[in-house]
Amino acid sequence: RSLLDFEISCGPWNAGRWSIKRSTLPEREGCTESLGGCRLDDTHAQVTDPTGASTWRVLEWNGDARMC
């Protein structure tokens, strides 16, 4: 069970707002989150929210993302 205890969500991130279009947690679909962050490299971003900062793995970038 612990191996499956994680979230995968997808959706556009524009102007500090992340719109969740698809998620392994159906209740998250259609939600928006206020996030800050910047691109670390081709596959990672440093993301900040009210609880702190974390590193996310990014599967696809569209357009330019600000580098840290």
Side-chain angles (χ1 to χ4, degrees):
R1 184 165 170 84
S2 66
L3 292 174
L4 300 175
D5 188 19
F6 62 92
E7 175 186 355
I8 298 174
S9 294
C10 303
W13 179 15
N14 295 306
R17 302 292 298 171
W18 180 35
S19 300
I20 301 171
K21 302 297 181 189
R22 300 280 187 260
S23 179
T24 55
L25 304 175
E27 66 274 11
R28 303 268 292 146
E29 292 182 1
C31 294
T32 59
E33 300 286 339
S34 179
L35 302 172
C38 56
R39 185 176 181 163
L40 296 172
D41 58 31
D42 287 344
T43 59
H44 296 89
Q46 181 73 35
V47 177
T48 56
D49 67 18
T51 64
S54 59
T55 301
W56 288 15
R57 181 171 174 228
V58 178
L59 299 178
E60 180 180 329
W61 293 100
N62 291 321
D64 290 331
R66 182 176 60 88
M67 297 293 285
C68 293

